[in-house]
Amino acid sequence: QVQLVESGGGLVQAGGSLRLSCAASGRTYSSDVMGWFRQAPGKEREFVAAIRWSGGSTRYSDSVKGRFTISRDNAKNTVYLQLNSLKPEDTAVYYCAASYSGSYSTYHSWGQGTQVTVSS
């Protein structure tokens, strides 16, 4: 089991930037995939980005491609999500998640979330 703790959320104006962090402790294997998801009020949780610990291959949703960047620091067991050119529609609770199966679509552990609010 891996424990995930997100940080870095906050209030920012449209066009601004934030960097979210996800610190992982416990079980972490090189084959694992780490993902970021978000859930806006009244909407379903949606995939944002993912990265594999080993090799660093990444995936992004179309809505954030070119604006958000996911990265990882293997030595610190930490995954980052750099949010640039933020829009009001990016407002949501952002969750970090871990996939033990190496799949980009199935996740097994979740963090508590961090709020990102973008004002217009």
Side-chain angles (χ1 to χ4, degrees):
Q1 190 81 3
V2 62
Q3 292 75 46
L4 305 171
V5 179
E6 303 100 330
S7 61
L11 173 64
V12 63
Q13 289 188 332
S17 299
L18 282 173
R19 189 176 81 155
L20 307 182
S21 299
C22 173
S25 60
R27 175 202 184 283
T28 55
Y29 295 149
S30 60
S31 60
D32 289 354
V33 169
M34 299 294 293
W36 284 97
F37 291 75
R38 66 186 182 185
Q39 187 167 20
K43 295 187 177 181
E44 293 188 353
R45 186 169 58 195
E46 65 171 346
F47 170 79
V48 175
I51 189 167
R52 191 177 300 279
W53 281 117
S54 176
S57 60
T58 59
R59 292 192 181 181
Y60 294 92
S61 69
D62 289 342
S63 62
V64 307
K65 199 173 295 183
R67 299 188 299 123
F68 293 5
T69 303
I70 190 170
S71 62
R72 90 279 191 224
D73 185 330
N74 294 59
K76 295 182 179 180
N77 276 355
T78 300
V79 175
Y80 304 98
L81 186 67
Q82 179 69 40
L83 290 65
N84 295 332
S85 302
L86 282 162
K87 305 174 182 179
E89 52 264 43
D90 293 318
T91 295
V93 178
Y94 283 70
Y95 297 92
C96 177
S99 168
Y100 303 152
S101 62
S103 165
Y104 285 100
S105 59
T106 303
Y107 293 83
H108 305 90
S109 292
W110 295 83
Q112 82 289 351
T114 185
Q115 176 71 47
V116 171
T117 303
V118 184
S119 63
S120 57

